[in-house]
């Protein structure tokens, strides 16, 4: 789905009935419109209509404020090579998540999660995590294909709690758990470029890392964002001695995780060009 397709479909979600859901849908539609009018159209002049002057930027390559965003849009537009395709957009109150693929940021396409915070009719804050696109994984899945339909909106909080509990117990405190209490053993689709489907695929990957003396640790979950059957966690941790930012997207069905996407990228160094707001 490109930005314009998302914009055309945004009106559908604004008709949802409950107040909290309606607020979320309104923020989602606004964020889609904002990206379409600015990044998608290559129009830096439209930034002031959608982004607050005090816009907080967590990408260490772009400064706070709208001027850095305008400069980036001008650069991408001038190149003539920029393209954005989003597979999923989920929203949770004032936060809107885009999951997709960019061309034109560098020599190879990038897979990204972008998170925007909306307040008082403007986008006021942005987080992201990006990595170069990889080949399909051992099960043939790409980093963005798979299910896209948002369902079970009434189960959002329960699904967020399930995922947060799994991350905390399995990856932070390393408690003894039954993985089948969290992950469907009969149907678990994996989009990490190096991991095959199923619990066996996950176990094999972790075994290969252990055999090489490589550890993967999660330190803290900074955000849990969910809409219905989709839940995104934003965490920091490390692979070996290298600090990493982990963005993990889970799809939950009938109380169990059935699908997973991620973007794992190095944490910015303290001396990164623009690191005022920090990664999280």
């Amino acid at each position: 789905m490109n930005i314009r397709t998302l914009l055309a479909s945004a009106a559908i979600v604004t008709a949802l009935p409950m107040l909290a859901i309606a607020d979320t849908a309104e923020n989602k539609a606004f964020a889609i419109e904002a990206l379409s009018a600015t990044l998608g159209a290559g129009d830096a002049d439209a930034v002031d209509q959608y982004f607050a002057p005090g816009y907080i930027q967590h990408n260490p390559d772009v400064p706070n404020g709208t001027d850095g965003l305008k400069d980036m849009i001008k650069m991408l537009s001038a190149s003539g090579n920029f393209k954005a395709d989003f597979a999923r957009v989920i929203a949770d109150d004032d936060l809107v998540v885009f999951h997709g693929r960019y061309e034109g940021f560098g020599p190879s396409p990038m897979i990204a999660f972008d998170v925007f915070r909306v307040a008082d009719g403007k986008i006021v804050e942005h987080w992201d995590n990006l990595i170069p696109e990889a080949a399909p994984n051992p099960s043939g899945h790409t980093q963005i294909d798979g299910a896209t339909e948002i369902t079970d909106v009434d189960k959002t909080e329960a699904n967020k709690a399930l995922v947060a509990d799994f991350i905390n117990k399995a990856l932070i405190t390393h408690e003894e758990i039954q993985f089948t209490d969290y992950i469907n053993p009969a149907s678990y689709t994996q989009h990490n470029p190096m991991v095959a489907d199923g619990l066996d695929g996950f176990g094999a990957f972790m075994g290969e890392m252990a055999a090489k003396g490589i550890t993967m640790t999660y330190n803290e979950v900074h955000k849990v964002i969910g809409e219905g059957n989709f839940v995104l966690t934003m965490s920091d941790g490390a692979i070996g001695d290298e600090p990493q930012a982990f963005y993990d997207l889970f799809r939950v069905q009938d109380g169990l995780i059935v699908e997973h996407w991620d973007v794992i990228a190095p944490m910015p160094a303290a001396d990164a060009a623009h690191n005022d707001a920090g990664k999280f």
Side-chain angles (χ1 to χ4, degrees):
M1 252 189 286
N2 61 34
I3 294 177
R4 289 176 177 81
T5 302
L6 286 170
L7 180 64
S9 64
I12 298 172
V13 297
T14 60
L16 293 171
M18 294 162 43
L19 181 59
I21 295 175
D23 290 342
T24 295
E26 183 177 344
N27 288 334
K28 178 192 284 191
F30 176 78
I32 292 170
E33 180 182 331
L35 262 65
S36 176
T38 57
L39 195 64
D43 186 357
D45 292 335
V47 166
D48 291 331
Q49 180 180 347
Y50 296 98
F51 292 81
Y55 177 61
I56 301 169
Q57 176 62 262
H58 294 270
N59 183 310
D61 295 323
V62 184
N64 286 328
T66 54
D67 287 345
L69 178 59
K70 292 175 183 178
D71 289 343
M72 183 184 72
I73 291 172
K74 290 175 184 176
M75 178 192 70
L76 294 172
S77 178
S79 74
N81 298 320
F82 180 72
K83 180 182 178 183
D85 289 299
F86 296 108
R88 296 161 194 89
V89 183
I90 67 171
D92 187 347
D93 194 18
D94 60 348
L95 299 174
V96 183
V97 178
F98 291 79
H99 178 211
R101 179 181 184 271
Y102 293 122
E103 293 182 20
F105 270 125
S108 63
M110 304 293 287
I111 304 300
F113 285 105
D114 285 276
V115 181
F116 297 91
R117 181 167 66 88
V118 180
D120 300 322
K122 299 277 189 177
I123 293 175
V124 298
E125 196 164 7
H126 168 250
W127 301 259
D128 63 8
N129 222 27
L130 300 91
I131 53 172
E133 184 177 38
N137 71 10
S139 295
H141 306 302
T142 74
Q143 290 157 286
I144 60 170
D145 67 1
T148 60
E149 183 183 3
I150 295 173
T151 62
D152 300 329
V153 175
D154 59 319
K155 298 177 182 176
T156 296
E157 294 307 317
N159 290 339
K160 287 168 64 176
L162 173 81
V163 168
D165 193 52
F166 171 71
I167 294 282
N168 183 62
K169 290 180 178 177
L171 300 174
I172 296 179
T173 61
H174 302 288
E175 297 180 31
E176 291 290 335
I177 64 169
Q178 289 291 331
F179 277 82
T180 53
D181 289 342
Y182 297 93
I183 298 174
N184 188 327
S187 177
Y188 177 52
T189 304
Q190 178 62 257
H191 295 269
N192 180 291
M194 295 182 290
V195 185
D197 288 348
L199 285 174
D200 289 344
F202 178 71
F205 171 70
M206 295 303 290
E208 290 172 10
M209 290 186 64
K212 296 175 182 177
I214 302 172
T215 58
M216 182 173 71
T217 59
Y218 280 56
N219 297 328
E220 182 180 356
V221 178
H222 294 270
K223 282 185 172 54
V224 181
I225 305 167
E227 184 177 10
N229 53 331
F230 287 98
V231 178
L232 176 77
T233 59
M234 298 163 54
S235 313
D236 77 272
I239 295 178
D241 295 328
E242 298 297 325
Q244 303 287 324
F246 296 91
Y247 280 46
D248 292 278
L249 179 65
F250 301 88
R251 182 168 66 90
V252 181
Q253 182 176 305
D254 298 327
L256 292 172
I257 295 166
V258 295
E259 197 162 7
H260 170 253
W261 302 259
D262 61 12
V263 169
I264 304 171
M267 286 284 287
D271 60 353
H274 304 286
N275 201 31
D276 301 329
K279 181 71 176 179
F280 296 102

